[in-house]
Amino acid sequence: MRPEQNSAKRNLRKGLDLIFVHNPVLITGLALTPVIMGSFTVKNGMGLSLVFGMVTIPVLVLASFLGMLPEKVPQYVRTIACAVLAAVMLIPARILAGGIAPNLFDSLGMYFSMVALNTVWLVCAPSCQKKKPQWALWDGVCHSLGFLVCTFFISSVRELLAYGTFWGNSTVLSIKFPAAAYAFGGFIIVGVAAAVLRWGADRTRDITRLVRRQQKKWRMGR
């Protein structure tokens, strides 16, 4: 029973790390294109996050079930099955996201379709084939939350700087930098956010190691 509990704790911890410590966009650099191209307003960012989650979560769960198939089923067949499901999920995702951000599809253009083949599930699907469906689901949820956190922050900063608004409503910010709404402005803001998050993650890791060493010395001293 204890090995199962330890495995569950590891899976839970790894999943939670995907939100900040191993954020799929800012740390691992996955799914950068739609974030940079489409998240220049908060509405667009939330609509994009909804689409990302509706595509990624079902695909990772499907990958887990495909992992139960006999080994003679080629890997490319499994990948094609995941890609087909991702493309199908774009249909309801577009309908739901359109209610949040009607201009999302115009701003993304061809990049909207690329969400179906986002690098997150392309990279994670093979590992999810070795996991139970509930843990593949957990990975999908945590990847989506990590994407949501990143996109909300990036889109908030870009909308405030470019238009002086938040969720389309005016703010007290009077200085505007329209360049933040363009792709190169998105690259700069994402790069700065990634550097800050990585620095914070490294410092947190160092502090955690220091605390553990001190605890170990204290226990040995007793």
Side-chain angles (χ1 to χ4, degrees), residues 49-60:
S49 298
L50 175 62
V51 174
F52 178 88
M54 290 185 65
V55 168
T56 303
I57 295 174
V59 168
L60 294 186

Side-chain angles (χ1 to χ4, degrees), residues 102-122:
N103 297 325
L104 175 63
F105 317 112
D106 295 332
S107 59
L108 279 177
M110 68 175 184
Y111 294 104
F112 175 76
S113 300
M114 290 176 62
V115 177
L117 294 175
N118 70 76
T119 48
V120 171
W121 77 255
L122 286 171

Side-chain angles (χ1 to χ4, degrees), residues 20-64:
F20 294 106
V21 180
H22 298 110
N23 186 275
V25 179
L26 296 180
I27 300 299
T28 57
L30 303 176
L32 274 173
T33 302
V35 173
I36 292 171
M37 297 303 298
S39 63
F40 52 85
T41 66
V42 179
K43 288 184 179 180
N44 273 18
M46 294 303 96
L48 184 59
S49 298
L50 175 62
V51 174
F52 178 88
M54 290 185 65
V55 168
T56 303
I57 295 174
V59 168
L60 294 186
V61 174
L62 175 62
S64 176

Side-chain angles (χ1 to χ4, degrees), residues 120-134:
V120 171
W121 77 255
L122 286 171
V123 170
C124 298
S127 63
C128 284
Q129 292 180 17
K130 304 174 184 178
K131 297 181 179 180
K132 295 180 179 179
Q134 63 266 33

